[in-house]
Amino acid sequence: MALNLRQKQTECIIRMLNLNQPVNPTGTANEEVYKMLIYDKFCQNILSPLIHVKDLRKHGVTLYFLIDKDRKPVNDVPAVYFVQPNQSNIQRIVADASRSLYDSFYLNFSSSIPRPLLEDLASGTLNSDSIHSVSKVHDQYLEFVTLEDNLFSLSQKSTYLQLNDPSAGDKEIEDIIERVVSGLFCVLATLSVVPIIRCPRGGPAEMVASALDQKLRDHLLSKNNLFSEGGSFASSFQRPILCIFDRNFELSAAIQHDFRYRPLVHDILGLKLNRLSVPGEKGGMKSYELDTSDPFWTANGSLEFPEVAVEIETQLNTYKKDVDEVNRRTGGNAGAEFDGTDLIGNTKHLMNAVNSLPELTERKQVIDKHTNIATVLLGQIKERSLDAFVKKENDMMDRGGIDRNELLAVLKGKGTKMDKLRFAITYIISSETINPAEAEAVESALIESEVDTSAFQYVKKIKSLNVSFASANSASRNNIVDWAEKLYGQSISAVTAGVKNLLSSDRQLALTRTVEALMEGKPNPEIDSYLVFDPRAPRSGSGSSSSHLKGPFKEAIVFMIGGGNYVEYGSLQDLAQNQQPVKHVIYGTTEILTGMEFVEQLSQLGHKMGLGNSVATSSATH
């Protein structure tokens, strides 16, 4: 049975809404209880892509509020709290209980509540004589946002910036790693799987893999662990592989422009939590939801934009034909003699027409939605020459460079400041060796366009330092300090070498090629140095390899530390679908970023290292 993260997380949330009682096959509790739902901002984001208002009503939730809003008492009604386990939420819960806002409190924490906070909760409710109103306290292990069946984000902001910050100390790095491990543990607990973990040596990927391995080992020692129940024999027999990477493994995928529908909608229109707003035809803004309930989005998200435009046109023509057909059938034949059989026939056609109306209306709404989105996208593509950026960037990555005149023509042509900055950074990444005169000309062109060059200079600096650290790349860096010292340049060789070695003729991402190799489990020089962790096996030295861990694997979870995107997600889904038999890949990341959002983190790193011109960072976005 394929791992379906969206379904599993939704089931956990529905059980939580039903006061953690078993839910019957219809998805509701055996005994309906009307209740309140109180959540914080983070947990609202977890709920938002999975549960709609009508679903809340179905599960007896009559009112729902953010925890930090002032709320009036509601007597005789239980309240379900779904919040992160932090100090301010605990204080608020204690305050609500002491004021007897609700009849009873069902407390659900998005991840495991630390003991000191649990003690604060106990002493707070005890002191205010309200401990009797706390009915249940649950750790839900749901601290991640599932956007599609195979896509999740830990919603941990600016992880790349924090991990690569030159001023970050050991403690800060360890805290970030711990947060990532905690989020990944929640995902695995929700899926009820203990995977085989693979990662490249050194850097954040190894640190997360090693700490997650330890956390899973510690947890598996307890008898009633989260993985002993819920996991069927079949799923435990064929375990998935968890491949962990650091964003520096392939920087270009986070920066390049892309011409496929899903990445384009995200990058240009700012898709957030499966929702976006675009200008409507008659003025004002229109909000749309793009998720698995939209058949057009599901079927065409990975197509190039021109193909999507053709598909919209095709569906519109099919819709018009179907409407004409209904009208023809229900309009009767002109001049036909009336008899009893015709009456029966007409009644039948009318019934069919009435039954087909909801389906036709729904189809028309989907077509209108995507026509509107495509129109806005087309306007941006033309205004900014985005097709030229995509083509030239792909050419650079393929050829390992670009003609100087072509390069400068793009930088002096159409496009926003951010488009040009992303193009310039892609040029630096794609070049095997940096031509100082050419790089200077690029920088001058950026300054001429009033672009903040700190991100460009940061990547250029990493690239040049990379050469001197090439020898250090093969060495394992278990030590944080060792890793931090070699940070600038460490593992970025994968950006250049990886792209050159792993790019096949159809422009497959280095990440996708590596995941394919890891899932196949055959000897491959690109992945032979990758570490292996099996939390279920007796410990036999860090990252040691064993024959049963080699694969092949039917299912994989791919996790990117430091920000992921819809380009990588789409590429991995294509990989899974094109395998015989079809494989299954879940893609997750610390946060999903547009090219602009990621480059802003690079700009901040550049500033922290004293690089760049004096133009303000924000001006690079316009």
Side-chain angles (χ1 to χ4, degrees):
M1 191 189 86
L3 303 170
N4 187 328
L5 189 58
R6 185 185 173 91
Q7 183 190 328
K8 291 268 194 184
Q9 194 180 25
T10 306
E11 284 168 5
C12 292
I13 286 167
I14 287 169
R15 195 173 62 239
M16 175 187 82
L17 293 177
N18 288 294
L19 310 181
N20 292 295
Q21 301 298 319
V23 176
N24 61 33
T26 61
T28 53
N30 298 323
E31 175 191 358
E32 181 140 24
V33 179
Y34 290 105
K35 59 195 84 83
M36 316 267 299
L37 174 63
I38 314 294
Y39 44 66
D40 60 11
K41 194 76 188 115
F42 188 92
C43 292
Q44 183 183 28
N45 291 346
I46 295 172
L47 295 169
S48 170
L50 300 177
I51 300 277
H52 296 101
V53 172
K54 64 177 188 297
D55 300 318
L56 290 176
R57 299 265 184 273
K58 183 173 140 191
H59 298 294
V61 175
T62 50
L63 292 168
Y64 44 92
F65 296 104
L66 278 164
I67 191 166
D68 52 10
K69 291 274 181 293
D70 284 332
R71 289 165 276 119
K72 293 189 168 63
V74 180
N75 299 327
D76 305 326
V77 173
V80 174
Y81 280 71
F82 181 38
V83 294
Q84 281 187 298
N86 59 40
Q87 195 66 53
S88 62
N89 284 340
I90 295 295
Q91 286 170 353
R92 194 69 200 230
I93 291 167
V94 169
D96 290 353
S98 64
R99 287 172 55 209
S100 303
L101 279 190
Y102 313 114
D103 184 48
S104 53
F105 291 71
Y106 291 81
L107 307 179
N108 299 274
F109 295 104
S110 56
S111 62
S112 182
I113 180 169
R115 190 165 182 86
L117 287 180
L118 195 58
E119 288 169 359
D120 289 350
L121 175 67
S123 60
T125 47
L126 205 57
N127 294 340
S128 60
D129 197 21
S130 55
I131 198 158
H132 61 276
S133 62
V134 179
S135 299
K136 288 270 171 68
V137 180
H138 280 270
D139 290 336
Q140 291 291 355
Y141 297 100
L142 293 173
E143 198 153 294
F144 58 95
V145 177
T146 307
L147 297 166
E148 297 194 14
D149 291 351
N150 302 319
L151 176 66
F152 72 90
S153 159
L154 300 186
S155 282
Q156 296 179 1
K157 299 203 183 311
S158 303
T159 309
Y160 184 84
L161 172 65
Q162 292 161 7
L163 282 172
N164 292 279
D165 186 342
S167 62
D170 295 2
K171 181 74 177 81
E172 288 101 315
I173 300 286
E174 280 170 354
D175 287 349
I176 296 158
I177 298 297
E178 198 178 308
R179 278 207 306 277
V180 173
V181 168
S182 171
L184 273 174
F185 183 84
C186 288
V187 171
L188 298 176
T190 302
L191 289 170
S192 289
V193 293
V194 179
I196 308 293
I197 305 169
R198 299 293 306 265
C199 71
R201 289 178 183 275
E206 183 182 343
M207 294 169 73
V208 168
S210 174
L212 180 61
D213 175 60
Q214 189 57 54
K215 190 177 177 82
L216 286 165
R217 280 175 186 281
D218 293 346
H219 183 75
L220 288 168
L221 291 174
S222 60
K223 206 167 188 176
N224 292 334
N225 66 66
L226 295 161
F227 303 98
S228 56
E229 51 183 72
S232 64
F233 175 75
S235 67
S236 59
F237 185 70
Q238 171 67 53
R239 291 162 63 193
I241 181 173
L242 167 61
C243 315
I244 302 177
F245 297 91
D246 163 33
R247 183 68 272 164
N248 285 334
F249 173 77
E250 189 176 21
L251 216 51
S252 56
I255 296 165
Q256 272 183 270
H257 292 85
D258 197 274
F259 219 47
R260 278 162 296 200
Y261 193 40
R262 203 191 267 110
L264 204 55
V265 166
H266 175 240
D267 199 32
I268 307 304
L269 304 178
L271 181 69
K272 282 263 189 297
L273 296 172
N274 295 342
R275 289 190 174 86
L276 58 84
S277 294
V278 294
E281 289 170 17
K282 298 166 185 164
M285 297 298 282
K286 289 204 76 127
S287 285
Y288 294 123
E289 202 153 327
L290 294 170
D291 58 16
T292 43
S293 65
D294 180 332
F296 188 93
W297 178 248
T298 308
N300 303 297
S302 58
L303 293 183
E304 298 271 325
F305 181 69
E307 296 172 290
V308 172
V310 170
E311 186 57 32
I312 292 172
E313 190 73 25
T314 308
Q315 292 205 12
L316 184 59
N317 291 335
T318 312
Y319 165 78
K320 283 177 179 169
K321 266 189 206 151
D322 291 352
V323 170
D324 290 344
E325 179 67 13
V326 168
N327 289 338
R328 190 180 66 73
R329 281 170 176 259
T330 54
N333 296 327
E337 268 188 50
F338 181 83
D339 64 13
T341 55
D342 202 55
L343 175 67
I344 293 165
N346 270 347
T347 308
K348 206 170 173 186
H349 286 321
L350 277 169
M351 288 302 289
N352 287 340
V354 168
N355 290 336
S356 67
L357 273 176
E359 190 260 345
L360 283 170
T361 309
E362 204 170 298
R363 270 167 61 193
K364 182 70 167 74
Q365 283 172 346
V366 170
I367 292 166
D368 286 349
K369 166 164 74 169
H370 288 282
T371 304
N372 198 3
I373 290 171
T375 308
V376 177
L377 280 177
L378 188 60
Q380 288 288 310
I381 290 165
K382 284 181 173 171
E383 191 184 318
R384 293 160 58 179
S385 280
L386 291 174
D387 49 339
F389 279 106
V390 172
K391 188 180 182 315
K392 294 277 195 302
E393 285 170 1
N394 282 342
D395 286 351
M396 284 195 290
M397 297 307 289
D398 280 339
R399 300 203 309 255
I402 185 172
D403 174 72
R404 184 171 178 164
N405 294 334
E406 251 185 290
L407 176 70
L408 297 174
V410 173
L411 292 171
K412 289 175 181 173
K414 285 183 181 177
T416 63
K417 294 176 185 182
M418 183 53 81
D419 289 330
K420 292 174 182 179
L421 181 56
R422 286 165 68 180
F423 180 76
I425 295 171
T426 306
Y427 150 74
I428 283 287
I429 292 170
S430 68
S431 311
E432 287 203 352
T433 53
I434 300 171
N435 176 331
E438 212 169 79
E440 210 168 294
V442 169
E443 211 165 312
S444 301
L446 289 174
I447 292 168
E448 209 175 294
S449 299
E450 298 182 342
V451 178
D452 175 7
T453 60
S454 50
F456 175 81
Q457 288 193 26
Y458 176 74
V459 175
K460 189 174 79 170
K461 191 172 180 70
I462 288 178
K463 187 83 187 268
S464 58
L465 283 172
N466 185 51
V467 180
S468 54
F469 280 124
S471 57
N473 258 325
S474 56
S476 170
R477 266 174 297 280
N478 297 327
N479 185 308
I480 297 176
V481 182
D482 188 16
W483 167 55
E485 283 171 2
K486 293 186 172 66
L487 190 61
Y488 303 105
Q490 180 268 323
S491 92
I492 229 175
S493 65
V495 176
T496 44
V499 165
K500 288 257 95 35
N501 298 343
L502 291 169
L503 270 179
S504 55
S505 55
D506 62 352
R507 286 279 301 121
Q508 198 176 33
L509 294 176
L511 175 75
T512 311
R513 289 285 300 117
T514 308
V515 169
E516 184 176 19
L518 288 166
M519 287 183 83
E520 276 175 2
K522 292 175 184 161
N524 183 327
E526 290 295 342
I527 57 161
D528 287 347
S529 65
Y530 276 46
L531 299 172
V532 185
F533 297 91
D534 179 5
R536 281 201 188 277
R539 195 181 282 287
S540 57
S542 166
S544 61
S545 180
S546 173
S547 56
H548 78 283
L549 307 178
K550 289 291 187 189
F553 295 91
K554 291 180 194 160
E555 298 175 319
I557 302 163
V558 179
F559 187 75
M560 181 60 77
I561 304 163
N565 48 66
Y566 282 92
V567 177
E568 290 175 334
Y569 171 59
S571 178
L572 289 166
Q573 294 314 302
D574 290 347
L575 167 74
Q577 292 306 313
N578 296 334
Q579 299 281 313
Q580 285 303 330
V582 171
K583 301 272 180 82
H584 186 229
V585 179
I586 293 175
Y587 174 70
T589 175
T590 42
E591 59 177 330
I592 292 178
L593 297 170
T594 63
M596 182 172 98
E597 288 165 342
F598 182 69
V599 170
E600 280 172 351
Q601 291 193 35
L602 292 177
S603 292
Q604 289 184 54
L605 286 168
H607 284 299
K608 283 174 181 288
M609 289 179 71
L611 303 170
N613 49 356
S614 55
V615 181
T617 314
S618 59
S619 70
T621 62
H622 303 304

